[in-house]
């Protein structure tokens, strides 16, 4: 049981390049999400998904796309990288077993992205 | 978006002291979570709270879900050097299917 895995761990891009950050979980969790973490800003939600085929925007979605074709995978795509997207990106997953509570949310180890 | 106000921003304490930090919001949350993040790592869940008034312990850590559902606190007793890190609160809103995070409390413990 690997939990939440993310690849790559580090990435350097040039402005304008595109790339996909990978996230996978093996806990059969319905809920998956992407956050970015910047110094002094805490964690800000980019996109999230409550199940395969369903995605929605978070607090800071501009410049990012997501898809959820399977329960296990939730990739994050940067369409045209900008220096403002330099950050640490975390993927997380959670089970939504009942209507009024969320199971605990588990985080991956993060991807450290630098855009030059 | 929803705002979680977490305080204090940072703390410098002596080993053995007790620590208290809290989160407040203008919104009612369904779940409160407390995480710890070590440098270069992802946040790790410490305590999850699901009901107003709930008081839960995890070793030297104790957290409470406020009666109004708009706040939560985390206490660490008898701090040790490995408690150093950044502590985050998070609230979950069922109607929005979203978790919201505080900006973190950076804890420094002097041996």
């Amino acid at each position: 049981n690997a939990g939440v895995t993310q690849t790559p761990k580090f990435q350097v891009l040039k402005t304008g390049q595109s790339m996909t950050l990978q996230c996978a979980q093996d806990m059969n969790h319905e809920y998956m999400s992407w956050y970015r973490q910047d110094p002094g800003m805490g964690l800000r939600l980019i996109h999230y998904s409550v199940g395969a085929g369903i995605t929605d925007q978070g607090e800071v979605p501009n410049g990012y796309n997501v898809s959820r074709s399977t329960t296990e995978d939730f990739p994050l795509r940067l369409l045209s990288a900008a220096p403002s997207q330099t950050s640490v990106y975390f993927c997380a997953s959670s089970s939504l077993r009942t209507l009024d509570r969320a199971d605990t949310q588990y985080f991956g180890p993060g991807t450290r992205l630098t855009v030059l | 978006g929803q705002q979680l106000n977490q305080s204090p921003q940072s703390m410098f304490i002596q080993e053995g002291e007790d620590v208290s930090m809290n989160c407040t919001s203008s919104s009612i949350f369904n779940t409160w979570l407390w995480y710890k993040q070590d440098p270069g790592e992802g946040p790790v869940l410490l305590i999850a709270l699901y009901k107003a008034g709930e008081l839960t312990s995890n070793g030297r850590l104790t957290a409470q879900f406020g009666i109004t559902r708009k706040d939560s606190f985390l206490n660490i007793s008898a701090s040790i050097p490995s408690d150093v890190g950044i502590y985050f609160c998070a609230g979950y809103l069922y109607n929005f299917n979203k978790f919201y995070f505080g900006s973190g409390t950076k804890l420094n413990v002097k041996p």
Side-chain angles (χ1 to χ4, degrees), chain B residues 72-84:
Chain B
S72 177
F73 72 75
L74 174 71
N75 285 345
I76 305 173
S77 63
S79 58
I80 59 178
S82 62
D83 291 334
V84 167

Side-chain angles (χ1 to χ4, degrees), chain B:
Chain B
Q2 306 296 330
Q3 296 289 329
L4 287 189
N5 300 307
Q6 186 172 349
S7 64
Q9 276 190 317
S10 63
M11 305 179 75
F12 292 82
I13 63 169
Q14 204 73 35
E15 182 176 0
E17 289 183 353
D18 297 343
V19 171
S20 186
M21 58 192 79
N22 68 83
C23 263
T24 61
S25 173
S26 57
S27 301
I28 292 174
F29 284 99
N30 303 104
T31 301
W32 282 96
L33 305 169
W34 284 94
Y35 290 86
K36 181 185 180 221
Q37 186 177 27
D38 293 323
E41 304 290 332
V44 174
L45 183 74
L46 299 173
I47 293 179
L49 302 157
Y50 299 106
K51 286 166 52 175
E54 182 179 351
L55 185 72
T56 297
S57 293
N58 178 6
R60 293 178 296 105
L61 278 60
T62 302
Q64 184 158 32
F65 193 142
I67 290 290
T68 64
R69 296 170 65 188
K70 293 183 180 181
D71 61 336
S72 177
F73 72 75
L74 174 71
N75 285 345
I76 305 173
S77 63
S79 58
I80 59 178
S82 62
D83 291 334
V84 167
I86 302 178
Y87 292 79
F88 290 99
C89 64
Y92 174 71
L93 280 175
Y94 165 70
N95 285 345
F96 293 93
N97 274 321
K98 290 178 185 174
F99 293 84
Y100 298 88
F101 282 79
S103 55
T105 295
K106 189 171 184 180
L107 179 62
N108 298 278
V109 180
K110 282 171 56 175

Side-chain angles (χ1 to χ4, degrees), chain A residues 25 27-33 35 92-107, chain B residues 30-35 45-50 90-94 97-99 101:
Chain A
Q25 52 92 9
M27 297 172 281
N28 203 30
H29 283 169
E30 305 94 332
Y31 187 101
M32 295 186 74
S33 52
Y35 297 87
S93 77
S94 173
S95 173
L96 301 171
R97 290 205 178 94
T98 65
L99 289 179
D100 62 354
R101 62 180 277 175
D103 205 339
T104 55
Q105 186 171 210
Y106 298 92
F107 281 82
Chain B
N30 303 104
T31 301
W32 282 96
L33 305 169
W34 284 94
Y35 290 86
L45 183 74
L46 299 173
I47 293 179
L49 302 157
Y50 299 106
Y92 174 71
L93 280 175
Y94 165 70
N97 274 321
K98 290 178 185 174
F99 293 84
F101 282 79

